[in-house]
Amino acid sequence: MTMVTDCKETKIASLIALCASPALVIFVSSNFVNVGNLVFNMIFSRWMGPELFGDLAVVLTIKLALLGVLGALSSAVSQQVAAQEAKDADQSEQALARINCICFVALWLTLPLIAVTLYVGSVGTRLDLGSPNLLFILLGSVPFCAPLNILRGVALGRMDSAKIVLSANVEMAVRLGFGILAWQIGFGIEGVVTAIGVSIIAGWAVLIDVLPTPQTPKVETRPLAAKLGLAALPFALLQIAQVAALDGDIFLATRYLSDTETGYVAALSLFQRIQFFACFALASVLLPSVVIAIREGRSYRSSVSMIAVLLACVSYALISLCILCPEFLLTVLVGPEYAAASNLLVWAAAAAVFFTINYLIATFLMAQGRRIGVATVVAGSALQIGIMVAVASTSTSDLAAMLSAKLFCQVGIAVVLVFQLWTTAHSNTFRKGTS
């Protein structure tokens, strides 16, 4: 009886430990945020109408691009914090705190220059925005973008899931809640864009205690800044590859396809982003968890296995839905006028699944100090664009042919990356056997 009780208690304790693991907590939180962002788009696409919502989509794209590129800084900081020894933590945190303050002040000082550039260059007009004030409203949140990513990188490096979850959910809640309130009060799209800017500030505000206040005597920051810059470069390239691989076809569609098919591409791209960002948090967790395990000399197999299982579950669910009810999905999320593209949805989703797998493998290799995975994803994405251009240039080309080329390229990249994983594992086993 005692053995049975002990066994039950052990299983319960294991289940609790699994549910409380940073990987699962951050994954669930990330997808809750994704649902909130999806609701945001569904609400305002209906309230604003196509033309006004198009302006909002431009602003959101700029915001996502800015945070996406700076996300490379977050990954570099995360890798640095996860790899540092306890004895070096205080000095490293002081250096990071100074870098954080310098970035914050520098961005405020460059704000007038950016504003003048936007005004003189008539950027809002060139982007065909109905209100030129939208970019200036969003500009007020720019000084908080780099500090936000630095602080999130510190929290990720420490695997501080509570802070990560709080920041992401506060940002989403402020954007959704204040956006709805601003629209209902009558502030229009300007009020909604203000809510987007305020949400970035809110996500930063809950993380300000992650780093200590910089103290005197000043800690030398130049070596760490240079190190972070070099470390951020491959992650920045990975983010650029993500934009090229998942969103590059929208630019090709405007050049080679009809207006109707271009609209279909925009709708299918939404599903690709849903799939990728549903699992993007897994990459954020994978990097520090593997780095910490290597630093401490323990196995990272359990962390990698959990991330692989979560990725498989999301991918299986998405592909299944795209096969079983594609027309329903398109109708609910983007409207019945896009239902004609339902037969292509599974191809777009499959391409996104393989890119996500490739992104995670490249991140895993980076955690082991191997940049070959990033180089493969970047080169493969460039090759994908080239092949899609060649396919689109033919007289018989259509959207189905472009999506097939996209999927073919991502599957090819996955094969190369799996081979790299195998060679890495083989070389590690060989070194252990000869040591």
Side-chain angles (χ1 to χ4, degrees), residues 380-429:
S381 297
L383 179 63
Q384 173 193 304
I385 295 296
I387 292 176
M388 290 178 72
V389 168
V391 169
S393 300
T394 62
S395 57
T396 58
S397 174
D398 58 9
L399 179 54
M402 287 178 61
L403 287 176
S404 297
K406 184 178 197 174
L407 177 58
F408 173 79
C409 288
Q410 290 303 320
V411 171
I413 295 169
V415 171
V416 174
L417 287 170
V418 169
F419 177 75
Q420 291 171 0
L421 274 179
W422 181 83
T423 56
T424 299
H426 181 74
S427 62
N428 288 342
T429 303

Side-chain angles (χ1 to χ4, degrees), residues 290-337:
V290 172
V291 171
I292 291 172
I294 292 174
R295 188 194 74 205
E296 296 177 350
R298 55 181 175 81
S299 174
Y300 45 73
R301 183 174 298 177
S302 60
S303 297
V304 173
S305 298
M306 177 181 291
I307 289 170
V309 169
L310 291 173
L311 173 63
C313 290
V314 172
S315 301
Y316 176 79
L318 182 70
I319 295 295
S320 298
L321 288 172
C322 290
I323 293 173
L324 296 174
C325 52
E327 188 172 341
F328 173 77
L329 289 177
L330 283 170
T331 300
V332 169
L333 292 182
V334 290
E337 61 270 27

Side-chain angles (χ1 to χ4, degrees), residues 1-154:
M1 184 67 178
T2 304
M3 291 180 62
V4 173
T5 303
D6 290 343
C7 184
K8 287 182 177 179
E9 290 178 351
T10 301
K11 289 182 178 179
I12 292 172
S14 300
L15 181 61
I16 292 173
L18 175 65
C19 294
S21 65
L24 187 58
V25 170
I26 295 171
F27 172 75
V28 172
S29 169
S30 174
N31 281 282
F32 181 75
V33 171
N34 286 334
V35 170
N37 292 336
L38 183 60
V39 170
F40 179 92
N41 282 280
M42 291 175 67
I43 288 174
F44 287 105
S45 65
R46 286 159 173 79
W47 284 356
M48 290 181 171
E51 185 174 342
L52 202 57
F53 184 68
D55 288 350
L56 182 63
V58 170
V59 174
L60 284 171
T61 301
I62 293 172
K63 175 247 183 186
L64 288 172
L66 183 61
L67 290 179
V69 172
L70 289 173
L73 179 60
S74 178
S75 297
V77 171
S78 169
Q79 188 176 30
Q80 168 67 27
V81 172
Q84 71 187 9
E85 299 290 343
K87 59 184 177 63
D88 302 323
D90 290 341
Q91 186 171 4
S92 179
E93 287 180 359
Q94 278 293 322
L96 280 171
R98 284 199 64 207
I99 292 172
N100 186 48
C101 289
I102 291 170
C103 287
F104 190 63
V105 173
L107 285 171
W108 274 114
L109 292 175
T110 57
L111 218 54
L113 179 61
I114 299 174
V116 169
T117 302
L118 292 176
Y119 179 78
V120 173
S122 302
V123 176
T125 303
R126 293 177 184 274
L127 293 174
D128 200 25
L129 293 176
S131 171
N133 297 324
L134 299 181
L135 294 181
F136 294 100
I137 294 172
L138 188 64
L139 192 61
S141 63
V142 168
F144 299 90
C145 291
L148 170 63
N149 278 280
I150 290 174
L151 296 177
R152 280 184 175 168
V154 174

